[in-house]
Amino acid sequence: QVQLVESGGGLVQAGDSLRLSCAASGRTFSRYGMGWFRQAPGKEREFVAAISYSSGSTSYAESVLGRFTISRDNAKNTVLLQMNSLKPEDTAIYYCAAQLGLAGSSSAEYRYWGQGTHVTVSS
């Protein structure tokens, strides 16, 4: 079992940067593909980014491509989401998720979820 705790959210202005962190428990973290999802008020949860268990493969939603970067440190059981050039439409609760093996863009693939961290981008 994996427990996930997100941090790093906050209130920023458009154009600013934030770095979200996801701390994972468990000794087998390196075997899990990791993803970031977000849910804006009144909207469905959507995929943001994913990284394979070996960091050899990453994928991004088109809306964040070129602005967000996902990375992981298996020695520290941590996944990061660096968010640059933030826009008001990036405002959402951001969730970290884990899935044994590969990491895709569908939330249904992920078994473990964190509680989320709020990101608000003002214009």
Side-chain angles (χ1 to χ4, degrees):
Q1 189 171 354
V2 176
Q3 292 184 325
L4 305 172
V5 179
E6 304 94 335
S7 62
L11 171 63
V12 297
Q13 293 186 331
D16 286 350
S17 298
L18 272 178
R19 188 176 71 170
L20 304 184
S21 180
C22 174
S25 65
R27 294 175 293 178
T28 59
F29 174 74
S30 61
R31 297 171 58 190
Y32 285 81
M34 302 297 296
W36 284 97
F37 291 77
R38 66 186 182 187
Q39 187 167 17
K43 294 188 177 181
E44 296 290 319
R45 188 171 298 188
E46 65 175 5
F47 170 73
V48 176
I51 188 167
S52 67
Y53 58 90
S54 64
S55 300
S57 175
T58 58
S59 60
Y60 296 91
E62 190 171 334
S63 60
V64 306
L65 192 63
R67 299 188 297 123
F68 291 11
T69 303
I70 188 171
S71 61
R72 67 187 295 161
D73 185 338
N74 287 340
K76 296 182 179 179
N77 282 18
T78 300
V79 177
L80 301 176
L81 184 67
Q82 178 66 43
M83 306 187 296
N84 298 329
S85 302
L86 283 162
K87 304 176 181 179
E89 50 263 45
D90 294 319
T91 295
I93 300 173
Y94 283 72
Y95 297 91
C96 176
Q99 170 60 25
L100 194 63
L102 299 178
S105 60
S106 171
S107 60
E109 299 177 32
Y110 292 82
R111 181 174 182 182
Y112 302 105
W113 292 83
Q115 294 300 307
T117 185
H118 290 251
V119 173
T120 302
V121 185
S122 63
S123 58

